[in-house]
Amino acid sequence: MKSNYIDHIGIAVKSLDESIPIYEKLLGSKCYAIETVADQFVKTAFFQVGQTKIELLESTDSDGPIGSFIEKRGEGIHHIAFAVDNTNDALNNAKANGFKLIDRVSRKGAEGMNIGFLNPKKTKGVLVEFCSK
Ligand code: ZN
């Protein structure tokens, strides 16, 4: 399963209100979407950078994945998402190649994408997401 391009880079932040103006200045573009993903306990803000997006992630619950990430490691890069043709195929293929899955099957993420994560233990500490339309 080939990864087509980097769809987005997820960055964990404490506050979207504080972080959005910083990234608008940095990237020279406006945040084009803010969306809450209830089952992940996150509020997301998106910026377009060419074909790739920057996804700022603010926790809506300190026990959620972003809340505990920030508690342990502070703000910063949380995951890299690769665009694939089919997320379930990519997850199955990764499993067959010895990677550990967090998600056995894809689920719905922000922007209606089908997403699935790999366990960072087998990817040199990087949380990898596959996503497809
Ligand atoms: Zn993501």
Side-chain angles (χ1 to χ4, degrees), residues 115-133:
I115 66 167
F117 286 93
L118 301 185
N119 188 309
K121 285 199 176 106
K122 294 279 170 108
T123 52
K124 301 293 173 189
V126 175
L127 180 59
V128 169
E129 174 187 339
F130 292 131
C131 64
S132 59
K133 293 239 163 79

Side-chain angles (χ1 to χ4, degrees), residues 7-10 46 55 57 78-81 115 117 129 131:
D7 183 80
H8 63 272
I9 296 172
F46 283 98
E55 177 187 38
L57 301 152
H78 177 260
H79 66 273
I80 297 178
I115 66 167
F117 286 93
E129 174 187 339
C131 64

Side-chain angles (χ1 to χ4, degrees), residues 20 23-31 47-49:
I20 287 171
Y23 273 82
E24 285 182 339
K25 253 188 262 173
L26 177 71
L27 302 172
S29 63
K30 291 274 174 205
C31 165
F47 296 83
Q48 195 75 48
V49 185

Side-chain angles (χ1 to χ4, degrees), residues 25-98:
K25 253 188 262 173
L26 177 71
L27 302 172
S29 63
K30 291 274 174 205
C31 165
Y32 71 87
I34 292 177
E35 184 182 340
T36 298
V37 183
D39 72 337
Q40 284 298 296
F41 307 107
V42 290
K43 208 166 126 189
T44 62
F46 283 98
F47 296 83
Q48 195 75 48
V49 185
Q51 201 170 12
T52 302
K53 290 163 280 186
I54 298 293
E55 177 187 38
L56 301 181
L57 301 152
E58 177 193 274
S59 182
T60 58
D61 184 320
S62 55
D63 291 334
I66 296 301
S68 52
F69 176 89
I70 288 176
E71 191 150 300
K72 270 186 239 150
R73 298 170 68 170
E75 294 179 299
I77 292 179
H78 177 260
H79 66 273
I80 297 178
F82 296 106
V84 294
D85 293 336
N86 181 302
T87 299
N88 281 324
D89 289 351
L91 290 171
N92 289 334
N93 190 263
K95 192 176 178 213
N97 281 311

